[in-house]
Amino acid sequence: MNALRRDAGWWALLLPAFLLMTVLYVAPIVQVLAISVTEPQPGFGNYERLLTNAGVQRVIGTTLRVCAMTTALALLLGYALSYVIALARPAVQRYWLLVVLVPLWISVLVRAFAWVTLLRQQGLVNQGLQAVGLVDEPLRLVWNEFGIVVGMVHYMVPYAVLPMLAGMREIDPRLLAAARGLGASRRAAFLRVFLPLSLPGLVAAGVLVFIFSLGFYITPAILGGGKTLMAAEWIKLQILDLVRWGMGTMLATVLVVAILATLVLFSRVVDLNRLFGGARA
Amino acid sequence: MSGTAAAGHALDLRGLTRRYGTFTAVRGVSLRVERGQFLTLLGPSGSGKTTILMMVAGFVPPSEGQVLLDGADITPLPPERRHFGMVFQGYALFPHMTVAENVVFPLRVRGLGRAERDGKVRAALDLVQLSPFAERRPAQLSGGQQQRVALARALVFDPALLLLDEPLSALDKKLRAELQDELKALHRRVGRTFVNVTHDQDEALSLSDRVAILNHGRLVQFGAPAELYERPRTSFVADFLGKSNFLRGTVRGAQGGAAVLEAGATRIAQALPDGAALPSGAAALLSLRPEKIAVLAEGEGADTVVGGRIAAWSYLGADFALDVRTDDLGTLRVVLPSWRAPIRPAEGMAVRLGWTADAAVPVEEDAAA
């Protein structure tokens, strides 16, 4: 009896969070799902467009391409950064970490506009390139995919660094010394010892960055200048400007499913890595 | 793998010095290890022993001095080109590889063919009796087994030297004793030159052909274990290697290989081996091992006899350890075999202690000790 009352207390504590999750989060998503198969008329008409409508296909293609490039570049830059941080002395590590994290505290809006001022035709980068004489005409660095990728990579590098760094910190630095002592060159020690041991962190970072990138809105909207459309902006366009709820919610649903599918795939890869790695101890 | 003593290599250290900023971790260490010998670098933490090993391995470049292998200067070579096997502190086994993959690693990075690799790995695993565990991961092995994997991995490529960085420190006492014996047997079997670093004096004494005792970055004494134990040069060596009583006295009359020291009313007869001289009137310091002091029966004599009272005692199974307070020599630690001991120790009991003139050795006092 007493135990029952105590249990009830626990449930009561959980209730607000539970309601918040269901009423404000799950319910709207379910509704979005519902709209995508009911508007403008019931059926899978909206989803058919995935196969027939070139516009939708182009948006999906752009989104996947930009996300893949962003993920690849963020991982590359982030890996090098994490490697340097992980092997630095603890005192130095703290400063590095601060440098990595500071951009996270600056509004994404501010950062996107900062990139616009840097990359536009009369921006600092183009002026510099022209002054040095590397280019005659200003390069088109913004309001295209290039600009979007630059802005997104800049935003994503910290998110790539954190999981990779956590993984790399678990690697005993003596393993690298041991590899060298056993006859491996620096390169071989990295390829055969450090890289495989840092792989779980790399995969985790990749999935995190990719999923984040899929739903990106502000950065592509500003740096794409309305010319290069990615999924989130396209959804906003459908719903707010064209009032085609069915199409907008359809792509939103596809986005949610894509993210869930990536996560499922990810959990499998991580399990595999558990089998390989030292996590069994 | 089936090498004889000739398969080992001689190692020369010449004036090895390593500075870190203004701090000198190792100063002017010179010593020579002959082919197939087992050298132990022994010292307290911060004595520079690990830094020396890292300079031999090639991980730390010396500020001054050279490392020579069979007379050839290898100081500028990076670690991977020295072909030294190394067992790291904590073993540093690769957690993502099986035992067999760990052991094959040095062969693979050397680009050996598969057939040759397989044969050598099998021989190395047989050597440390780990063949049944070839497909396990390091995390699935006990500490002692991990240590043997590290040994197999370090020996599989027929290294010129085997370097061991506190190989037994991570193990509990009983296992340590077992693996100490195994390591010794392994050294006999492979006949290679081993360089071991430890702070454990028992390990140093039982394993080594040569021991180098280090303190504050300096080589204090270098020699065979028995030589260091029986004839320590300084009070630090006497104290660090085994236990020692220190007797202070003033030299009164020294001639013909013998001297008499005076400490208060006590006269100590001291033999002076090999022409060592103690200037008359000077203060001298003697190191006297606890097991070399006898508890005298009534009427029994000795070169030096001193009376005292037992201040504390403990029973250690094989021995009694007695702390005997004397008037002139302070408290002396005495180790008395408990089997047929002449007395049954009791606190406050009066005893007569005696030792022969050759029991103690004169030692220098260490400046910084």
Side-chain angles (χ1 to χ4, degrees):
Chain A
M1 191 65 206
N2 227 341
L4 211 69
R5 196 177 299 160
R6 200 169 55 227
D7 276 359
W10 282 117
W11 287 115
L13 274 176
L14 278 175
L15 200 62
F18 179 73
L19 288 177
L20 209 66
M21 281 297 284
T22 48
V23 175
L24 297 179
Y25 191 78
V26 176
I29 286 183
V30 170
Q31 204 179 359
V32 163
L33 277 172
I35 293 172
S36 72
V37 288
T38 51
E39 296 268 340
Q41 62 254 25
F44 288 95
N46 291 321
Y47 291 90
E48 256 179 54
R49 304 278 188 91
L50 278 176
L51 303 173
T52 55
N53 187 318
V56 182
Q57 285 170 353
R58 197 170 57 241
V59 168
I60 290 176
T62 306
T63 306
L64 288 178
R65 197 166 53 244
V66 169
C67 287
M69 277 196 289
T70 301
T71 308
L73 287 171
L75 286 183
L76 203 69
L77 295 176
Y79 194 91
L81 207 53
S82 311
Y83 183 76
V84 170
I85 298 173
L87 297 185
R89 286 180 295 123
V92 182
Q93 279 194 8
R94 252 172 281 143
Y95 287 104
W96 272 110
L97 217 55
L98 200 69
V99 171
V100 171
L101 290 179
V102 160
L104 281 181
W105 302 329
I106 299 170
S107 158
V108 59
L109 206 62
V110 173
R111 287 155 64 185
F113 280 121
W115 277 115
V116 171
T117 58
L118 280 175
L119 298 178
R120 73 201 151 102
Q121 302 254 319
Q122 302 81 25
L124 209 59
V125 174
N126 267 319
Q127 279 179 358
L129 287 175
Q130 280 172 298
V132 181
L134 279 173
V135 296
D136 299 326
E137 300 210 340
L139 296 173
R140 292 166 38 83
L141 300 176
V142 77
W143 296 308
N144 53 19
E145 279 186 27
F146 179 83
I148 296 179
V149 170
V150 168
M152 283 177 63
V153 166
H154 181 231
Y155 189 87
M156 286 303 176
V157 164
Y159 290 102
V161 165
L162 292 177
M164 285 197 281
L165 185 60
M168 288 181 190
R169 275 186 168 159
E170 308 254 301
I171 301 174
D172 186 346
R174 280 178 305 189
L175 294 178
L176 289 179
R180 299 281 311 281
L182 292 167
S185 60
R186 275 172 197 281
R187 197 183 130 82
F190 174 78
L191 289 177
R192 290 183 183 275
V193 178
F194 196 88
L195 187 64
L197 287 172
S198 65
L199 220 50
L202 188 77
V203 171
V207 171
L208 186 74
V209 169
F210 189 76
I211 288 179
F212 252 8
S213 304
L214 280 178
F216 243 49
Y217 173 57
I218 296 176
T219 305
I222 293 170
L223 289 167
K227 289 174 196 151
T228 306
L229 280 184
M230 281 178 64
E233 203 187 352
W234 189 85
I235 293 168
K236 174 241 160 198
L237 198 72
Q238 297 300 317
I239 293 176
L240 293 187
D241 300 336
L242 306 174
V243 204
R244 284 156 64 182
W245 278 84
M247 284 296 277
T249 52
M250 178 275 290
L251 196 62
T253 307
V254 169
L255 215 54
V256 169
V257 170
I259 287 171
L260 288 178
T262 315
L263 276 177
V264 167
L265 211 69
F266 163 62
S267 67
R268 292 197 158 192
V269 174
V270 162
D271 272 343
L272 283 177
N273 274 302
R274 283 262 157 76
L275 287 179
F276 299 145
R280 194 187 285 236
Chain B
M1 204 86 305
S2 60
T4 58
H9 293 253
L11 179 73
D12 260 308
L13 308 184
R14 291 202 186 149
L16 270 192
T17 298
R18 174 66 202 192
R19 281 181 284 270
Y20 291 99
T22 56
F23 171 69
T24 306
V26 175
R27 34 184 117 210
V29 170
S30 299
L31 56 83
R32 179 179 169 83
V33 203
E34 301 296 337
R35 289 163 181 269
Q37 278 191 337
F38 195 123
L39 165 73
T40 294
L41 304 171
L42 177 68
S45 59
S47 60
K49 55 190 191 301
T50 301
T51 309
I52 294 177
L53 192 77
M54 290 303 156
M55 287 194 277
V56 173
F59 290 114
V60 173
S63 310
E64 281 167 36
Q66 284 128 35
V67 180
L68 283 80
L69 190 71
D70 293 333
D73 188 0
I74 57 162
T75 321
L77 288 184
E80 66 268 24
R81 296 198 31 219
R82 298 194 177 195
H83 302 293
F84 293 170
M86 181 144 184
V87 174
F88 284 78
Q89 209 171 4
Y91 318 134
L93 298 178
F94 304 128
H96 58 303
M97 301 182 191
T98 63
V99 167
E101 285 166 349
N102 264 282
V103 176
V104 84
F105 182 88
L107 304 177
R108 193 166 275 165
V109 295
R110 283 175 173 74
L112 256 67
R114 199 197 167 88
E116 202 177 350
R117 279 195 326 233
D118 288 352
K120 280 178 186 274
V121 168
R122 213 171 302 123
L125 286 176
D126 281 344
L127 186 73
V128 296
Q129 291 141 35
L130 274 181
S131 302
F133 300 93
E135 296 314 314
R136 299 257 186 111
R137 304 226 171 246
Q140 295 168 291
L141 301 180
S142 70
Q145 289 167 333
Q146 289 182 23
Q147 201 251 11
R148 302 213 302 253
V149 176
L151 275 170
R153 189 178 67 173
L155 285 168
V156 70
F157 57 101
D158 294 322
L161 280 183
L162 183 67
L163 309 178
L164 303 137
D165 186 7
E166 309 232 4
L168 305 174
S169 64
L171 306 170
D172 62 57
K173 200 176 166 189
K174 191 156 188 263
L175 198 57
R176 198 155 57 209
E178 264 177 52
L179 283 163
Q180 217 165 288
D181 294 341
E182 263 183 49
L183 201 57
K184 196 168 182 172
L186 189 73
H187 177 241
R188 292 251 168 74
R189 244 176 298 155
V190 301
R192 279 174 202 286
T193 314
F194 281 34
V195 180
N196 178 36
V197 160
T198 187
H199 58 261
D200 183 332
Q201 39 147 326
D202 294 332
E203 191 184 314
L205 286 176
S206 77
L207 286 176
S208 323
D209 299 307
R210 290 285 180 277
V211 177
I213 298 196
L214 296 146
N215 194 24
H216 298 299
R218 287 181 205 279
L219 181 62
V220 186
Q221 197 171 356
F222 177 57
E227 187 186 328
L228 298 189
Y229 188 80
E230 297 297 340
R231 288 199 299 281
R233 203 175 58 74
T234 74
S235 55
F236 172 78
V237 175
D239 201 35
F240 195 71
L241 206 61
K243 294 212 165 57
S244 183
N245 294 297
F246 291 103
L247 315 177
R248 278 166 212 286
T250 313
V251 182
R252 299 284 177 221
Q255 52 172 313
V260 173
L261 272 72
E262 199 178 72
T266 304
R267 297 173 74 77
I268 306 166
Q270 176 60 40
L272 296 176
D274 317 328
L278 289 175
S280 199
L285 185 66
L286 301 178
S287 154
L288 177 60
R289 300 290 184 192
E291 72 274 12
K292 293 185 181 171
I293 303 177
V295 175
L296 301 177
E298 215 156 318
E300 200 178 344
D303 293 342
T304 302
V305 177
V306 60
R309 283 183 184 281
I310 297 178
W313 65 279
S314 39
Y315 175 62
L316 304 174
D319 307 294
F320 288 111
L322 314 177
D323 287 334
V324 178
R325 194 160 295 147
T326 66
D327 288 337
D328 299 318
L329 299 172
T331 302
L332 295 182
R333 164 59 62 104
V334 180
V335 169
L336 179 70
S338 53
W339 176 240
R340 292 182 179 159
I343 56 163
R344 287 178 57 86
E347 242 170 81
M349 183 188 218
V351 287
R352 283 168 68 238
L353 305 177
W355 59 89
T356 56
D358 60 356
V361 283
V363 292
E364 288 170 32
E365 199 147 359
D366 292 86

